[in-house]
Amino acid sequence: RRQRQMCIRDSLKAIVTALYRFAFYSSNGRLNTKVTAGQENRFAVEVANTGTEVIEKITLNSSKPSGWTITFSPTDTITSLEPGIAQVIDAVIKPPRETIAGDYVVTMIASSPNLANRQWDLRVTALTPTFLGWVGIIIVLVVIGGLAFLFRRLGRR
């Protein structure tokens, strides 16, 4: 009987397989941000290893409107990411100075060899610099002041 129990124990095997999986999302949980045209604007993104094995070479990229630049700081490539670890990276979004105010869509993409890409859309509200608004207000005030001066000077002749 003792020999029989040993044979059963020897025949049991456990096979453990590694799980390669990662998540890519915004750090604050929001999928929208505001940017000012012509300036660098930062938006924090996070890459997390949700699997059980180290993930190598995660590359960050984006799909953006024409003329916009999006860089990742400190790097756009994570060489390796341990299981259970998340890394925060700033996406530096810079629309050109002549961008028209409005809403735009930027697609954030994270990819790793042999794993499916992760991507999500970020709604970006582009604002024009307040400097141009002040220039417009000053021009309107100068015109009104000039007209008031002319009406007083040339009033009842």
Side-chain angles (χ1 to χ4, degrees), residues 92-107:
V92 181
I93 303 169
K94 184 176 181 185
R97 185 173 297 280
E98 55 277 350
T99 298
I100 298 171
D103 289 340
Y104 297 86
V105 175
V106 171
T107 302

Side-chain angles (χ1 to χ4, degrees), residues 42-53:
R42 295 187 174 276
F43 184 79
V45 298
E46 199 164 325
V47 180
N49 184 344
T50 58
T52 60
E53 190 63 40

Side-chain angles (χ1 to χ4, degrees), residues 30-37 41 68 93 95 99-106 122-128:
R30 297 181 64 178
L31 297 176
N32 66 332
T33 188
K34 292 181 181 179
V35 298
T36 303
N41 306 272
W68 289 42
I93 303 169
T99 298
I100 298 171
D103 289 340
Y104 297 86
V105 175
V106 171
L122 176 66
R123 190 180 121 234
V124 180
T125 301
L127 306 171
T128 55

Side-chain angles (χ1 to χ4, degrees), residues 146-157:
L147 288 173
F149 174 75
L150 286 176
F151 279 120
R152 284 183 157 235
R153 182 107 162 117
L154 303 174
R156 294 188 179 206
R157 285 194 176 185

Side-chain angles (χ1 to χ4, degrees), residues 21-124:
R21 188 170 51 194
F22 72 98
F24 179 52
Y25 46 87
S26 71
S27 288
N28 62 8
R30 297 181 64 178
L31 297 176
N32 66 332
T33 188
K34 292 181 181 179
V35 298
T36 303
Q39 296 179 4
E40 289 187 348
N41 306 272
R42 295 187 174 276
F43 184 79
V45 298
E46 199 164 325
V47 180
N49 184 344
T50 58
T52 60
E53 190 63 40
V54 175
I55 298 177
E56 306 285 336
K57 299 178 189 169
I58 299 173
T59 305
L60 303 177
N61 205 343
S62 64
S63 172
K64 56 200 172 288
S66 178
W68 289 42
T69 59
I70 298 178
T71 56
F72 296 93
S73 175
T75 181
D76 63 351
T77 302
I78 301 170
T79 54
S80 70
L81 193 59
E82 296 290 326
I85 301 296
Q87 185 168 348
V88 177
I89 296 176
D90 280 339
V92 181
I93 303 169
K94 184 176 181 185
R97 185 173 297 280
E98 55 277 350
T99 298
I100 298 171
D103 289 340
Y104 297 86
V105 175
V106 171
T107 302
M108 298 292 193
I109 306 163
S111 60
S112 180
N114 303 323
L115 292 175
N117 291 352
R118 301 286 185 256
Q119 67 182 39
W120 44 272
D121 290 335
L122 176 66
R123 190 180 121 234
V124 180

